[in-house]
Amino acid sequence: MKSAILITYNREDAINEAKGLCDAAGYEVVHTITQNFLQKPKYGISGGALEKLEELSEKLRPDVIVFDEILKPHQNYSLASVLHREVLDREGLILEIFESRASSAESKLQVKLAQLRYEMVRAKEKVRLSSMGEQPGFMGIGKFEIDVYYNDIKHRMQTVRSKLEKAGKQRDLHRQGRKRMGFKTISLAGYTSSGKTTLFNKTTGEAKTQSKELFTTLTTTIRRLIINQEPFLISDTVGFISKLPAYMIDAFKSTLEELVHTDIIILVIDINDSVFELKKKFSSCMRTLSELGVEKDKVVYAFNKTDLQKKEEIQRKIDFLNLTENEKVISVSAKTGENIKELKELIKDVIESQNSQKFNRNSLEGVAESFGN
Ligand SMILES: Nc1nc2c(ncn2[C@@H]2O[C@H](COP(=O)(O)OP(=O)(O)O)[C@@H](O)[C@H]2O)c(=O)[nH]1
Ligand SMILES: [Mg+2]
């Protein structure tokens, strides 16, 4: 696993999320530096913090420095020159995660488009700087080369867009492949650091150390899970990310495409979040699921990390989300294993009711047909 020094905001939720993003991208965080402000002009951070970072970078020799904010190209360049390390900003990190997780032809193209867009913004900044004569030969490139580079990105974006139009048709082939395997599928969804991977490991009974597990989930995000002697395939999806830039939304959604075809979605919700965060994240998840065209009755809501909260507090938070009587709700601890057995039973019940519904629908169709003729 590659190593990273992480620079993020001085807030627990920001730290947890940034660490979660590093994990998902396959970086082990060897040190975390927190700051109240990450948008200082030259390096993003203050001179004092930079000195400390320089020392740490020299000592720990990480593969990358992850900067949990958007960096302008000149900031990235300045940081990398001082630290002699590759610097990955927040958007660059998110794009790496999407790239490693995109599986269908369509999602690969969506991610490519987002990557080009990311480069485009940076190329524009270079053009602007060089035309102001502010930094002649900035990053070793002159005005002419930047123009060529910029036009090349534009051209490549057009190519990807036209490929995307065609890729839509291939999607159906992909879907059929899945069906043929004959397994019922379960997908884990939810925000980064809500506990999807921990739950994935707990339900499938893996016993490796966590960092290794996190790494293996990058390559093998699908495992077999047996409930009542029936085999299922369970998969760990890309997590929702707070403050996702608008231009990345299509790429993100396309990596979630499997949620449309899966039989059960376990929406993992971190009960440890504040009521405000909980509500905000919950509505964002629900909005995205509905935009993807997911049927609501296959969603199981798993309120996770119950080991960190009192029973009354957990209930208060669940009540706050106004879930109706019909929704399938369960509180679990992926860490201690509390209610995992009950979660599996709930899954089994949902599958059974789906089967009987399908049976009813089929028999009704049969009746309609015989009457029609
Ligand atoms: N206390 C507690 N911590 C948990 C639980 N589930 C996950 N975590 C921790 O929450 C963090 C994020 O978990 P992870 O499974 O990587 O989240 P993911 O980003 O959704 O895959 C890790 O530090 C886990 O150890 C839980 O039930 N209880
Ligand atoms: Mg995970």
Side-chain angles (χ1 to χ4, degrees), residues 264-279:
I264 300 241
I265 294 170
I266 304 176
L267 185 62
V268 184
I269 300 155
D270 187 344
I271 199 76
N272 209 33
D273 277 339
S274 69
V275 168
F276 175 76
E277 278 290 305
L278 205 65
K279 183 114 194 173

Side-chain angles (χ1 to χ4, degrees), residues 210-334:
Q210 180 152 38
S211 63
K212 270 188 201 146
E213 278 172 316
L214 286 168
F215 189 54
T216 52
T217 59
L218 264 183
T219 47
T220 52
T221 52
I222 300 179
R223 279 192 207 141
R224 221 162 62 123
L225 167 65
I226 312 264
I227 301 176
N228 259 15
Q229 286 144 6
E230 194 189 339
F232 289 84
L233 291 179
I234 183 164
S235 71
D236 187 5
T237 65
V238 172
F240 283 70
I241 296 164
S242 67
K243 296 189 292 173
L244 190 70
Y247 77 92
M248 289 191 193
I249 288 174
D250 285 340
F252 170 63
K253 279 197 197 162
S254 70
T255 63
L256 288 180
E257 206 217 333
E258 68 174 74
L259 295 184
V260 181
H261 317 299
T262 199
D263 296 294
I264 300 241
I265 294 170
I266 304 176
L267 185 62
V268 184
I269 300 155
D270 187 344
I271 199 76
N272 209 33
D273 277 339
S274 69
V275 168
F276 175 76
E277 278 290 305
L278 205 65
K279 183 114 194 173
K280 196 176 74 179
K281 289 180 177 174
F282 184 74
S283 37
S284 163
C285 286
M286 296 316 289
R287 201 182 327 118
T288 306
L289 291 181
S290 114
E291 280 164 8
L292 286 169
V294 164
E295 295 157 39
K296 245 181 124 189
D297 57 3
K298 66 182 186 187
V299 182
V300 169
Y301 303 87
F303 289 87
N304 188 33
K305 310 197 187 180
T306 53
D307 55 297
L308 298 175
Q309 293 270 337
K310 288 208 194 79
K311 277 227 156 58
E312 310 83 71
E313 183 63 9
I314 295 168
Q315 197 51 51
R316 188 180 80 86
K317 284 182 172 170
I318 295 177
D319 289 345
F320 192 77
L321 295 179
N322 287 328
L323 287 153
T324 64
E325 290 285 307
N326 296 332
E327 317 293 4
K328 285 138 302 233
V329 174
I330 191 159
S331 52
V332 298
S333 169

Side-chain angles (χ1 to χ4, degrees), residues 14-144:
I15 299 168
N16 287 340
E17 191 196 46
K19 282 187 175 166
L21 293 175
C22 289
D23 277 331
Y27 294 107
E28 186 192 357
V29 176
V30 289
H31 194 97
T32 305
I33 294 178
T34 60
Q35 295 283 296
N36 291 326
F37 193 66
L38 292 177
Q39 286 164 310
K40 296 233 154 76
K42 184 149 190 209
Y43 298 102
I45 48 174
S46 67
L50 180 66
E51 259 175 46
K52 192 173 147 208
L53 180 58
E54 216 181 325
E55 231 171 76
L56 276 165
S57 171
E58 185 64 34
K59 196 173 101 200
L60 300 170
R61 307 200 155 267
D63 293 296
V64 293
I65 308 283
V66 171
F67 197 94
D68 188 22
E69 192 37 92
I70 304 162
L71 286 169
K72 294 215 159 73
H74 72 269
Q75 291 175 315
N76 194 316
Y77 178 73
S78 307
L79 272 172
S81 324
V82 174
L83 301 168
H84 311 291
R85 284 282 174 283
E86 187 192 335
V87 176
L88 201 54
D89 75 350
R90 182 180 171 88
E91 293 191 356
L93 180 68
I94 294 171
L95 287 170
E96 279 198 6
I97 297 169
F98 289 171
E99 187 178 16
S100 70
R101 302 296 282 264
S103 57
S104 68
E106 193 207 0
S107 62
K108 283 189 175 128
L109 288 167
Q110 290 286 11
V111 173
K112 186 80 228 168
L113 198 59
Q115 284 169 330
L116 287 168
R117 170 69 203 277
Y118 176 84
E119 272 184 53
M120 171 86 111
V121 172
R122 274 139 195 86
K124 263 188 196 157
E125 159 92 354
K126 285 175 201 169
V127 171
R128 192 184 63 83
L129 286 175
S130 74
S131 65
M132 289 181 350
E134 225 177 45
Q135 278 166 294
F138 170 63
M139 282 164 115
I141 337 177
K143 168 104 174 75
F144 174 72

Side-chain angles (χ1 to χ4, degrees), residues 191 193-198 210 304-305 307-308 333-335:
Y191 266 81
S193 84
S194 60
K196 295 180 301 300
T197 304
T198 312
Q210 180 152 38
N304 188 33
K305 310 197 187 180
D307 55 297
L308 298 175
S333 169
K335 195 169 191 173

